[in-house]
Every structure is written in C-alpha cells, then in structure tokens.
Amino acid sequence: VLGPDNKIGFVILVKGESELMLQSTKSIEEDFHVAPEIAKAQVLLYADVDSLDAIEKSLPRENIIVPRRKTFYGALEVWAKDASGKIIGFAQKAE
C-alpha cells in the first residue's frame, strides 16, 4: 500500500493462514501520531483476536497506549504494552 508520499507504506506477505506485515517507520509515524512510542519501537506484535471486548477487559487501563479505534481497512484495534514493555496491537475484524 502506498503512503501519502507515494512510497510503499506497508506490505502484507501471506502464506496459508500466516501473515507478516512490514510497515515503514514513516507510515507508522503518520498512523500513530498520537502515540509516538509506537513509531519508535523496533518490533511490534499485531494479533487478530475473536473478541476485542475480552482483550480490553483483561488489560490494565494504564497499559493501553491507543484506545479502541477503527482502521481505514475496517479492523477494530487496541494497542497496549505488556508487562515487559513490548507493544502489542490487538485487532478484531469488523463485521
């Protein structure tokens, strides 16, 4: 997918049921301008989940970096830090 500068913003590689998404730092900065620590992370984990409600209930409020939002591709997301400080995005496909 091309970003606003007409350069590649991210790609998704798919094999079977596995996906790997690679996103440029610039694209992340533009997408997460409200949470600059996400753009500074070297690795982000992004997991599809069946119930975002269940995930949100299990997360301590202070660990949430980006509260629930809807992406341009229709997913509902929440971004949080785990106990070790790693950043994880949880996503539920919109119905």
Side-chain angles (χ1 to χ4, degrees), residues 44-64:
L44 300 170
L45 178 63
Y46 186 84
D48 289 328
V49 298
D50 292 329
S51 172
L52 199 56
D53 289 336
I55 294 294
E56 287 176 301
K57 288 177 185 173
S58 71
L59 291 171
R61 183 172 293 281
E62 63 272 10
N63 287 33
I64 296 176

Side-chain angles (χ1 to χ4, degrees), residues 5-63:
D5 58 1
N6 235 12
K7 294 184 179 178
I8 292 177
F10 70 88
V11 297
I12 298 175
L13 308 172
V14 179
K15 182 170 184 174
E17 293 186 20
S18 299
E19 293 183 4
L20 175 65
M21 180 177 171
L22 303 171
Q23 188 169 5
S24 71
T25 302
K26 184 170 182 153
S27 173
I28 291 172
E29 287 171 348
E30 291 170 357
D31 194 19
F32 292 102
H33 60 276
V34 296
E37 63 192 295
I38 290 177
K40 293 178 185 172
Q42 291 186 351
V43 175
L44 300 170
L45 178 63
Y46 186 84
D48 289 328
V49 298
D50 292 329
S51 172
L52 199 56
D53 289 336
I55 294 294
E56 287 176 301
K57 288 177 185 173
S58 71
L59 291 171
R61 183 172 293 281
E62 63 272 10
N63 287 33

